[in-house]
Amino acid sequence: MLKTILAISGKPGLYKLISQAKNMLIVEAVDNKKRMPIYASDKVISLGDIAMYTNDDEVPLATVLDSVKKKENGQVAALDYKKASVEELHAFMAEVLPEYDRDRVHTSDIKKLIQWYNLLISSGESDFVEEAPAAEEAAAENAAAENAAE
């Protein structure tokens, strides 16, 4: 799901990829559903390609968003990222991703995470981590185990 959600440099909010043309993308704003063209000169990144730094490795944004969803019980974040202090933001991040790298994850990154989470939840997008392939693998393994037992 996050592969089709885009962040565009210089434009606020998030956008959903609608279609592609030769030299541009057609996107729709997640919040107000307004469509617009995005050209090759614009810097575009898929949320599926973003990760957060941890002390050991990087964690995909989808996993972090899913942790926020669990913490907030699927509701919009209770913490107001615009009014929260730096300490409150870092405490929030420590709850969501305890091993996050405190040197490389900036306060602005935490604000953006909360902003994006709220925007996605408000627009009805809440399936951050794809679980279908794992379920299919488990079913295939169970079937293989049953066949082996016969």
Side-chain angles (χ1 to χ4, degrees):
M1 189 269 328
L2 289 182
K3 287 282 183 200
T4 60
I5 304 292
L6 309 172
I8 302 167
S9 184
K11 298 194 183 303
L14 294 172
Y15 300 86
K16 183 175 259 187
L17 178 64
I18 300 300
S19 72
Q20 293 178 266
K22 187 174 181 182
N23 291 323
M24 68 176 172
L25 303 172
I26 304 297
V27 297
E28 179 179 86
V30 169
D31 55 353
N32 63 12
K33 307 293 186 213
K34 183 179 175 185
R35 290 187 179 191
M36 67 177 86
I38 299 298
Y39 300 97
S41 60
D42 293 311
K43 185 178 178 196
V44 178
I45 188 161
S46 164
L47 294 193
D49 295 335
I50 298 175
M52 298 286 278
Y53 293 115
T54 65
N55 294 327
D56 301 325
D57 204 9
E58 295 180 356
V59 175
L61 183 64
T63 305
V64 179
L65 287 169
D66 200 52
S67 294
V68 175
K69 179 180 156 187
K70 287 177 182 146
K71 178 190 178 314
E72 300 294 338
N73 296 320
Q75 302 299 313
V76 172
L79 181 68
D80 184 354
Y81 67 92
K82 292 179 183 177
K83 296 179 182 175
S85 69
V86 173
E87 292 80 19
E88 290 173 321
L89 290 167
H90 283 276
F92 177 87
M93 191 67 194
E95 275 186 64
V96 172
L97 189 64
E99 68 277 6
Y100 84 99
D101 188 331
R102 277 122 177 103
D103 295 328
R104 297 195 297 176
V105 176
H106 303 285
T107 304
S108 60
D109 299 330
I110 300 169
K111 286 182 176 184
K112 186 147 299 222
L113 170 71
I114 297 170
Q115 178 187 9
W116 286 353
Y117 170 78
N118 288 344
L119 195 58
L120 290 168
I121 290 294
S122 297
S123 67
E125 303 283 348
S126 62
D127 296 327
F128 304 122
V129 179
E130 294 180 23
E131 297 173 10
E136 289 173 13
E137 284 179 27
E141 287 176 15
N142 288 342
E146 287 175 14
N147 289 341
E150 290 177 0

